[in-house]
Amino acid sequence: MAPAGGGPTFRRQLGLADLMAYGLAYIAPIAPLSTLGLVWAASHGMIALAYLLGGVCMAFTAFSYAAMVREVHSAGSVYGFARVVLGPFAGFVAGWMILLDYLLIPAFVYVVMAVALGQLMPGIDRAVWIVLLAAFTTAVNWFGIGSTTRVSSGAVVVQVAVLAALMGLAVHVRLHAFGAAGLGAAPFYATPFSLSAVLAGTSICVMSFLGFDAISTLAEDTADRTGRTLGRAILLVLAFATALFVLAAWILGNAMQGAHFISLDAAAYELAGQMGGVWAGIALAWAYAILVGLSNALPMQVGVARVLYAMGRDRQLPGALARLHPKYNTPHVAMLVSTAISLAVALWLRDAMDQLAAFVNFGALFGFALIHVCVMVHFARSPKRSWVLHGLSPVLGIAVVAAILTGMNHAALVLGVVWLVAGLCWWQFRIVRMGLVSAEGSDPFA
């Protein structure tokens, strides 16, 4: 099912390799390094278990996304799914809440890059790096999705190589110093065991997986109109990321035992310095700043612009957001608006990275819960339904999402509720009163 309406449309040019490059660049193979210290502290050292649980949580969600992209072919991702299956009001709520994720995760990456560069040039304020990165990503994405995927493909390969080098250094140091006991099970299980600590760590590390879901925003850019290629890309990207993250968390989690860090935000760089000398920490900081700063933020900006574009096209946000650039076929207005918001948030929270991470995760988890509801409702009336994929899997997905939310900090929950209330006010006073939908939620333009 494709979105209705005329006007300019995206060029369908992306294949499986392009989609996977986009998803992996969005996730970033070296993503765990940005929150390594935060997850390690929150999970009481059981960092590998936290990442494994995060991957399990995301697996249920990935199955739901893969199911829905075959049914609804919309650039709006969970917004488009909920709008078609549950109606315009539910669609608006889904889109509004996923925006909390998609608008803030570029801000988080801007701050991560600023932290990395701060290790190299501490005399320059983080705000300077944040502004420069925002300008760079906008310049590259302005010229279309083709330029974005080309940059993303090369960046993914280099990121895997950098993470492999760091893991290799950790293995060498641990085995040299501790022999066969150098790589134990402590990152998976430590005594005293605390489930609440593991869930707290998972609530942070979930953000490292975000990106497989954003592949769904490219539904209208994909050459295959059936959604099958899109679904395969979502599942393959998550499988690769989970395996890589758990392996890295196990190896680096062993290396972190007994370590002390000046800043949990910069724990990865400090760890590299402790294992390989000052040069190793500096090299990692440069690699992270360049790779994340010059590639990871690119697909994030693309994803949020397409959600804003879809909501603007359906008149649930200002219609100007649905404009496509006549030459480059990019939603340039949505891109500029989303970048301005992400930039403002990054500058505001540049010294509170852990809080920003929690805010991002709340929006993502809320959206994931809704995608599971969409699957159950849509396939309940479909002859193609499977009780495992369309019944049991989404129920388990909702349960895991709820469990992770219980470990989330209070400020993130408060912000999420405030954001939801603000969205409901917009719906009532802007959408309903202007007659864009009826008070009962039906869409007169459908």
Side-chain angles (χ1 to χ4, degrees):
M1 185 180 298
T9 58
F10 293 111
R11 301 186 187 103
R12 292 186 172 273
Q13 56 185 308
L14 303 183
L16 180 62
D18 299 315
L19 296 171
M20 290 187 65
Y22 172 87
L24 288 172
Y26 196 115
I27 288 178
I30 57 176
L33 300 185
S34 64
T35 53
L36 190 71
L38 301 175
V39 179
W40 177 72
S43 64
H44 296 180
M46 292 178 285
I47 184 171
L49 181 58
Y51 271 98
L52 181 59
L53 181 58
V56 171
C57 171
M58 295 302 99
F60 295 119
T61 303
F63 285 126
S64 289
Y65 267 100
M68 288 308 302
V69 293
R70 296 187 180 191
E71 305 297 316
V72 181
H73 311 144
S74 168
S77 184
V78 65
Y79 157 72
F81 306 150
R83 180 178 175 82
V84 170
V85 175
L86 304 175
F89 174 69
F92 172 80
V93 172
W96 183 261
M97 295 307 295
I98 204 68
L99 281 176
L100 188 60
D101 164 21
Y102 284 2
L103 285 171
L104 296 190
I105 198 168
F108 179 81
V109 172
Y110 297 159
V111 174
V112 166
M113 186 215 68
V115 169
L117 289 172
Q119 300 296 302
L120 306 170
M121 290 168 276
I124 300 179
D125 190 271
R126 290 181 181 181
V128 175
W129 301 120
I130 290 170
V131 171
L132 290 176
L133 177 59
F136 170 80
T137 56
T138 303
V140 173
N141 282 327
W142 189 266
F143 296 102
I145 191 67
S147 63
T148 304
T149 55
R150 285 191 294 272
V151 174
S152 298
S153 299
V156 165
V157 174
V158 179
Q159 286 183 49
V160 172
V162 169
L163 185 59
L166 182 62
M167 289 191 290
L169 176 62
V171 169
H172 172 75
V173 170
R174 293 296 295 181
L175 293 182
H176 179 74
F178 302 98
L183 294 174
F188 285 101
Y189 184 85
T191 53
F193 179 80
S194 172
L195 179 59
S196 62
V198 174
L199 290 175
T202 302
S203 71
I204 298 173
C205 74
V206 159
M207 187 177 57
S208 297
F209 294 93
L210 302 184
F212 72 89
D213 58 303
I215 297 174
S216 62
T217 65
L218 301 182
E220 296 175 46
D221 297 89
T222 305
D224 176 16
R225 295 173 180 267
T226 67
R228 290 186 176 86
T229 299
L230 208 61
R232 284 196 293 270
I234 289 171
L235 296 175
L236 288 172
V237 165
L238 179 62
F240 178 85
T242 301
L244 184 64
F245 291 173
V246 173
L247 177 63
W250 173 56
I251 293 174
L252 299 180
N254 272 288
M256 296 172 78
Q257 292 183 59
H260 299 281
F261 303 105
I262 297 173
S263 169
L264 290 177
D265 287 354
Y269 315 120
E270 294 183 34
L271 178 65
Q274 293 170 16
M275 294 190 300
V278 176
W279 70 268
I282 293 175
L284 181 62
W286 271 115
Y288 203 103
I290 293 172
L291 292 171
V292 173
L294 300 184
S295 63
N296 190 224
L298 291 173
M300 293 176 177
Q301 193 181 55
V302 168
V304 66
R306 275 156 172 72
V307 175
L308 289 173
Y309 164 85
M311 295 183 75
R313 180 177 59 191
D314 293 335
R315 295 171 293 277
Q316 294 198 345
L317 289 177
L321 296 172
R323 293 176 184 169
L324 292 180
H325 194 283
K327 181 176 181 181
Y328 301 115
N329 199 232
T330 54
H332 58 297
V333 176
M335 186 187 305
L336 293 175
V337 170
S338 65
T339 302
I341 296 173
S342 298
L343 178 59
V345 172
L347 293 173
W348 173 39
L349 295 175
R350 63 184 180 273
D351 296 315
M353 194 169 74
D354 57 337
Q355 196 64 66
L356 184 53
F359 291 162
V360 170
N361 288 343
F362 181 90
L365 291 170
F366 191 100
F368 292 167
L370 281 176
I371 195 74
H372 292 308
V373 173
C374 288
V375 169
M376 290 188 291
V377 172
H378 178 75
F379 286 97
R381 51 192 184 224
S382 170
K384 298 183 294 182
R385 63 181 177 271
S386 161
W387 74 270
V388 175
L389 293 178
H390 308 138
L392 180 61
S393 178
V395 167
L396 291 175
I398 292 174
V400 176
V401 166
I404 295 176
L405 284 173
T406 63
M408 190 165 287
N409 69 48
H410 179 70
L413 296 176
V414 171
L415 177 70
V417 172
V418 170
W419 180 258
L420 176 59
V421 170
L424 294 177
C425 290
W426 171 269
W427 172 270
Q428 180 63 36
F429 295 104
R430 165 77 175 177
I431 308 299
V432 173
R433 291 199 174 184
M434 290 188 65
L436 298 181
V437 297
S438 70
E440 292 75 24
S442 61
D443 189 347
F445 297 100

